[in-house]
Amino acid sequence: MLSKTSSHGLALFKATMLSVFTLLFVLCAFSVSAAEDKFSFDTPAQRESFLKLTAELRCPMCQNQNIADSDAMIAHDMRRKVYALLKQGKTEQEVIEFMKSRYGDFVHYQPPVTAATLWLWAGPVLFIFIALIVVVRRKSVAPPEDMAAKLAKADEMLEREKE
């Protein structure tokens, strides 16, 4: 049986928890709306370029997300910079070159072909080629087996066991 003080304490606890959850919900709702970037464009072509570029540029912090999907602060900064460059009349390629010069080739999902990136493609192919050579040579080195001689030996062993 609950006393009046314990039921009053329970009611106070429930009211406090409800207030805390309501406050958290309101704070989360405001933070989500504050996190969204609001950009206005002069032309639909600028908007398309912005969407294309933010999908092509990688977040340096997240590494597997583009800057359009990332919530990292650097991604927000990069989106603002892309917007500012497009508003200045820069082309998509000029924006990409600016970002590459600032963050390196890694920032673009389509890295240029260089000696370093060539090895990324040639390495696995070269490894498979060498592995195939090793496998083929091992099979050819094995001595040929004379099946007739083995069968004769097996028959001889069977005959001995029958006796």
Side-chain angles (χ1 to χ4, degrees):
M1 185 176 221
L2 291 172
S3 69
K4 282 190 173 187
T5 56
S6 64
S7 64
H8 177 66
L10 185 60
L12 183 63
F13 176 74
K14 285 182 181 180
T16 305
M17 291 307 292
L18 182 62
S19 298
V20 167
F21 285 130
T22 305
L23 179 65
L24 286 174
F25 178 75
V26 169
L27 288 176
C28 287
F30 280 120
S31 67
V32 168
S33 66
E36 294 177 7
D37 293 324
K38 307 288 185 203
F39 298 109
S40 62
F41 299 96
D42 298 333
T43 64
Q46 265 187 346
R47 180 174 171 71
E48 289 300 318
S49 292
F50 177 80
L51 294 174
K52 181 182 175 196
L53 286 169
T54 56
E56 281 183 18
L57 295 172
R58 185 187 328 235
C59 175
M61 185 174 176
C62 304
Q63 296 186 2
N64 286 330
Q65 277 187 321
N66 57 30
I67 63 173
D69 296 334
S70 176
D71 283 333
M73 288 305 296
I74 193 165
H76 289 281
D77 292 341
M78 290 173 75
R79 283 194 297 267
R80 283 191 293 272
K81 190 62 177 178
V82 168
Y83 175 74
L85 290 172
L86 287 174
K87 289 295 256 183
Q88 292 173 8
K90 303 287 184 188
T91 65
E92 288 179 12
Q93 192 58 39
E94 289 173 328
V95 173
I96 290 171
E97 291 303 320
F98 174 83
M99 291 295 180
K100 280 183 179 181
S101 68
R102 191 167 190 181
Y103 299 104
D105 287 335
F106 175 80
V107 78
H108 194 228
Y109 274 118
Q110 300 167 357
V113 177
T114 62
T117 58
L118 191 61
W119 280 106
L120 292 174
W121 291 99
V125 173
L126 189 61
F127 175 77
I128 290 171
F129 182 70
I130 291 171
L132 283 174
I133 290 173
V134 168
V135 167
V136 168
R137 284 201 176 173
R138 279 196 174 184
K139 287 198 179 235
S140 65
V141 171
E145 299 177 10
D146 185 13
M147 289 305 272
K150 281 190 173 185
L151 284 174
K153 191 173 184 180
D155 286 338
E156 183 182 320
M157 290 171 71
L158 282 172
E159 289 297 324
R160 274 194 235 144
E161 281 187 24
K162 285 183 183 177
E163 296 175 357

